[in-house]
């Protein structure tokens, strides 16, 4: 079956209101194409340290929605056109034209799975739930990860750098704080390495459900990990909920731009002698993060590299 695709040409300043209007008449899942520069908040939630310069914003947005072939297309489009005309009475929506095309019927949610297969990080096997563990791998540490819409399959160099550092420092008494937990892969690895307890924080609501599913899949005992939604850098409630001076290890696989303001805050969560493991750092930003770590009073223990990516491990001295 094919889907009918309809694309509204409007102004980027009007896209939110147009989308809200479409939602009110029962159209959901609108695609947005525009050239609006990313905000700082957007950048902090993306796992890209250096973003390429985009094209100059021309003020135009293309909003696409899809209807099944057997839908009452004429009636729906008539409703959309009327709503767009009504919006013109108080808002400049630009051209407001609707272009029609067709697209193949695909399983958009699951098609990405063909690109994610089991792989190894040294002696750790990371495998999605839809693949079988080979007989020869059954004695390895196995982490089942289905990232869904949350970041973190373990394939990226920065996650692998963190995993290797966790292997060095986790023990049976470890209390771990995992900032920007994503799919929860670092916390799950730490718990499988013997950590006592883990707390993860993230800005993305998708991380909450992803972590819960991955904890269940990995048969992590109930209560071994908690996940909090919020920004630990500037949210006092999150800081208080996480607690102070109680973590043997804090792991933060984020971005250099986030690590710089995070580091002086996270010092308060670390125990004296606690280990701070950072990654998500492109090699050009290594010095920036090292300087921030030192400025926060931490001792740099090790800087490791994998391809163009860097991990900085430090300690809060007694």
């Amino acid at each position: 079956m094919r889907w009918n695709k309809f694309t509204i040409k409007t102004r980027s300043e009007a896209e939110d209101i147009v989308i809200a209007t479409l939602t009110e008449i029962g159209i959901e899942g609108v695609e947005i194409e525009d050239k609006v520069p990313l905000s700082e908040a957007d950048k902090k939630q993306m796992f890209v340290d250096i973003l390429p310069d985009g094209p100059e914003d021309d003020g135009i947005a293309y909003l696409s929605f899809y209807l099944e072939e057997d839908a009452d297309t004429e009636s729906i489009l008539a409703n959309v056109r009327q709503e767009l005309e009504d919006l013109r009475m108080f808002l400049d929506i630009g051209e407001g034209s609707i272009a029609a095309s067709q697209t193949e019927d695909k399983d958009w949610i699951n098609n990405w799975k063909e690109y994610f297969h089991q792989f190894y990080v040294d002696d750790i096997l990371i495998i999605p739930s839809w693949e079988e563990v080979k007989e020869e791998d059954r004695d390895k540490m196995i982490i089942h990860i289905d990232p869904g819409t949350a970041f973190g399959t373990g394939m990226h160099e920065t996650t692998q750098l963190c995993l290797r550092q966790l292997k060095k420092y986790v023990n049976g008494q470890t209390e771990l704080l995992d900032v920007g937990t994503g799919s929860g892969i670092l916390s799950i690895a730490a718990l499988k390495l013997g950590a006592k307890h883990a707390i993860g924080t993230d800005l993305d609501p998708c991380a909450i459900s992803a972590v819960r599913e991955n904890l269940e899949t990995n048969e992590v005992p109930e209560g071994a990990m908690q996940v909090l939604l919020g920004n630990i850098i500037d949210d006092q409630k999150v800081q208080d909920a996480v607690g102070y001076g109680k973590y043997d290890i804090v792991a933060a696989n984020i971005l250099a731009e986030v690590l710089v303001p995070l580091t002086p805050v996270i010092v308060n969560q670390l125990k004296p002698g606690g280990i701070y493991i950072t990654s998500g750092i492109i090699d050009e930003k290594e010095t920036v993060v090292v300087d921030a770590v030192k400025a926060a009073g931490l001792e740099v223990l090790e800087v490791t590299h994998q391809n163009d990516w860097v991990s900085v491990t430090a300690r809060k001295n007694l």
Side-chain angles (χ1 to χ4, degrees):
M1 184 181 75
R2 290 177 176 268
W3 290 74
N4 294 315
K5 177 180 179 180
F6 300 94
T7 303
I8 300 170
K9 184 178 180 180
T10 184
R11 298 176 66 246
S12 54
E13 291 182 356
E15 63 187 37
D16 287 344
I17 294 179
V18 173
I19 291 171
T21 301
L22 294 175
T23 301
E24 288 177 359
I25 61 177
I27 295 173
E28 299 180 352
V30 179
E31 290 180 354
I32 304 172
E33 296 178 66
D34 60 30
K35 298 174 183 175
V36 177
L38 293 172
S39 68
E40 288 304 312
D42 292 332
K43 292 177 183 178
K44 287 179 180 179
Q45 296 189 58
M46 295 180 67
F47 197 71
V48 181
D49 208 348
I50 297 178
L51 292 166
D53 292 331
E56 184 176 350
D57 183 14
D58 58 7
I60 297 174
Y62 295 90
L63 309 178
S64 298
F65 60 92
Y66 297 83
L67 301 176
E68 295 182 18
E69 281 189 319
D70 58 358
D72 186 0
T73 304
E74 289 187 11
S75 175
I76 294 172
L77 287 180
N79 198 4
V80 170
R81 291 190 178 98
Q82 183 59 55
E83 292 294 335
L84 290 175
E85 287 305 310
D86 290 346
L87 283 178
R88 290 186 190 277
M89 298 175 62
F90 63 90
L91 178 70
D92 181 5
I93 66 169
E95 188 172 304
S97 60
I98 304 176
S101 60
Q102 282 192 323
T103 185
E104 294 290 342
D105 180 24
K106 294 183 178 180
D107 186 354
W108 300 107
I109 298 298
N110 292 306
N111 276 1
W112 64 273
K113 292 181 178 180
E114 65 183 283
Y115 303 106
F116 179 39
H117 304 286
Q118 58 184 287
F119 63 99
Y120 303 93
V121 180
D122 302 334
D123 58 347
I124 300 174
L125 172 64
I126 298 174
I127 183 170
S129 62
W130 57 89
E131 291 193 1
E132 292 291 329
V133 177
K134 300 173 186 176
E135 189 62 38
E136 60 267 27
D137 289 331
R138 295 192 181 278
D139 60 344
K140 290 183 170 63
M141 178 187 290
I142 300 171
I143 301 176
H144 299 274
I145 288 292
D146 291 349
T149 54
F151 171 78
T153 63
M155 296 183 73
H156 200 279
E157 291 95 328
T158 59
T159 309
Q160 296 179 25
L161 286 165
C162 282
L163 287 171
R164 292 189 180 100
Q165 295 306 100
L166 287 172
K167 287 174 64 179
K168 294 178 184 178
Y169 294 102
V170 168
N171 59 48
Q173 298 303 311
T174 296
E175 290 280 347
L176 172 74
L177 174 59
D178 182 6
V179 181
T181 191
S183 67
I185 185 171
L186 295 182
S187 291
I188 292 169
L191 292 167
K192 284 181 174 284
L193 287 165
K196 186 177 180 181
H197 184 257
I199 289 184
T201 68
D202 207 290
L203 300 175
D204 185 356
C206 294
I208 306 298
S209 57
V211 170
R212 287 174 181 161
E213 290 171 7
N214 287 323
L215 288 172
E216 183 177 347
T217 301
N218 285 277
E219 299 181 345
V220 174
E222 186 73 26
M225 182 183 180
Q226 299 168 260
V227 191
L228 301 175
L229 182 65
N231 189 344
I232 196 170
I233 294 176
D234 56 16
D235 190 330
Q236 186 71 49
K237 290 182 179 179
V238 176
Q239 294 172 12
D240 292 344
V242 165
Y244 303 93
K246 60 182 290 187
Y247 294 96
D248 301 282
I249 298 176
V250 173
N253 182 20
I254 315 180
L255 295 172
E257 286 82 0
V258 181
L259 291 171
V260 170
L262 172 68
T263 301
V265 174
I266 221 67
V267 168
N268 300 310
Q269 273 69 41
L270 276 168
K271 288 180 179 178
I275 301 297
Y276 183 40
I277 299 172
T278 70
S279 194
I281 309 159
I282 197 74
D283 54 9
E284 295 176 5
K285 300 292 182 69
E286 175 182 331
T287 302
V288 173
V289 175
V290 169
D291 289 347
V293 167
K294 291 179 177 178
L298 300 172
E299 176 191 359
V300 175
L301 299 178
E302 190 176 5
V303 178
T304 55
H305 301 80
Q306 186 173 338
N307 296 326
D308 296 329
W309 298 91
V310 181
S311 172
V312 178
T313 301
R315 178 171 56 209
K316 179 178 179 179
N317 288 323
L318 300 174

